[in-house]
Amino acid sequence: MQGNPYLNYQGAFGNLTETDKKQHCSLRIQTWVYIHSGISIVTSLLGITLGSILLVRTEWHEKLFLYRLTLAYLRRSDPSKYWIVYRVFFGVWIAVHSLHLVTIVLTVIGVHKTNLKLLKPQLFVLVFQIGLFILGISSLFVYSMTGTRVAWLALFVVLFHTLFASTNLYLLAKFHRFLDEKLMILRDILSAQAKSVHFKDDSSF
């Protein structure tokens, strides 16, 4: 039984070692990180734009089902507090997306320079962001279940950002692990070479 001829091929792509496979996989993840970084920049800009519009054009949020379901009642009960919370909410929304935008740029630089430290800011921001999104989804789900209709638009916006943040976190964590292993192997090699040179120097005496 000869098996798969492609596995027995001795050319440039045949008989890949474990290191070659890891390097190839790491390269693929790196490419996907670049692609997803571009997508994340777009989603962050969309989030900033949406937050800015709703912060400036406050009347737009009155068209939402969520407003008619709950927010209108809160607004009537205490208008001043309502508008403070409203502005704080969208201010935080814009700030989180802006911060994410900055960390995406740092990630691209970190991936290009294979700098592990530059990947960490986006990891922290994504975990925080996803936590907020999950809280938002849970709240919207409860509101929708207690109301007569589902707040589809608000749910779609939050789920949209949650999806891309989650996939971004997965890819970034995956690449972070590969890069960490790569740097660890490199440190071991350099350490072994340093010991070898030191041993040769000692033996020469």
Side-chain angles (χ1 to χ4, degrees):
M1 184 175 178
Q2 294 180 349
N4 193 331
Y6 295 102
L7 296 177
N8 298 325
Y9 177 63
Q10 300 295 326
F13 300 100
N15 289 341
L16 290 174
T17 64
E18 192 66 27
T19 304
D20 293 331
K21 290 177 182 178
K22 285 185 177 180
Q23 189 173 3
H24 178 66
C25 187
S26 177
L27 187 62
R28 285 179 59 189
I29 294 174
Q30 181 177 343
T31 304
W32 277 110
V33 169
Y34 279 130
I35 293 170
H36 209 297
S37 293
I39 296 171
S40 296
I41 288 172
V42 174
T43 57
S44 293
L45 289 173
L46 285 173
I48 293 169
T49 304
L50 178 64
S52 301
I53 290 172
L54 290 173
L55 200 57
V56 175
R57 303 293 297 271
T58 55
E59 67 274 10
W60 282 25
H61 87 289
E62 297 174 7
K63 300 176 183 179
L64 297 173
F65 169 68
L66 185 62
Y67 176 83
R68 296 193 297 271
L69 178 67
T70 305
L71 299 182
Y73 169 76
L74 296 174
R75 180 180 176 180
R76 286 194 298 269
S77 62
D78 195 341
S80 59
K81 186 181 290 186
Y82 175 83
W83 288 116
I84 290 172
V85 173
Y86 180 89
R87 290 184 177 91
V88 168
F89 174 82
F90 283 106
V92 171
W93 174 273
I94 294 168
V96 169
H97 283 288
S98 300
L99 183 62
H100 186 210
L101 195 61
V102 173
T103 60
I104 292 169
V105 176
L106 290 175
T107 295
V108 172
I109 297 171
V111 172
H112 180 69
K113 294 183 176 293
T114 61
N115 190 325
L116 204 62
K117 292 181 180 178
L118 292 177
L119 304 181
K120 294 183 186 298
Q122 190 179 185
L123 286 171
F124 291 130
V125 169
L126 284 171
V127 170
F128 176 71
Q129 203 175 48
I130 291 170
L132 290 179
F133 289 152
I134 291 172
L135 183 63
I137 291 169
S138 303
S139 301
L140 288 170
F141 182 77
V142 171
Y143 279 130
S144 299
M145 291 299 101
T146 55
T148 55
R149 289 169 53 194
V150 179
W152 288 115
L153 183 59
L155 271 173
F156 173 77
V157 170
V158 179
L159 285 170
F160 173 80
H161 286 284
T162 305
L163 173 65
F164 285 104
S166 301
T167 52
N168 195 3
L169 179 62
Y170 172 78
L171 284 172
L172 198 59
K174 197 87 170 173
F175 182 75
H176 185 279
R177 192 186 72 179
F178 271 109
L179 189 58
D180 189 32
E181 290 177 356
K182 180 181 177 181
L183 293 174
M184 191 180 297
I185 292 169
L186 185 60
R187 283 194 296 268
D188 291 342
I189 292 171
L190 291 174
S191 177
Q193 287 178 345
K195 288 179 181 178
S196 176
V197 171
H198 181 70
F199 176 76
K200 287 180 180 178
D201 290 341
D202 290 342
S203 62
S204 62
F205 292 104

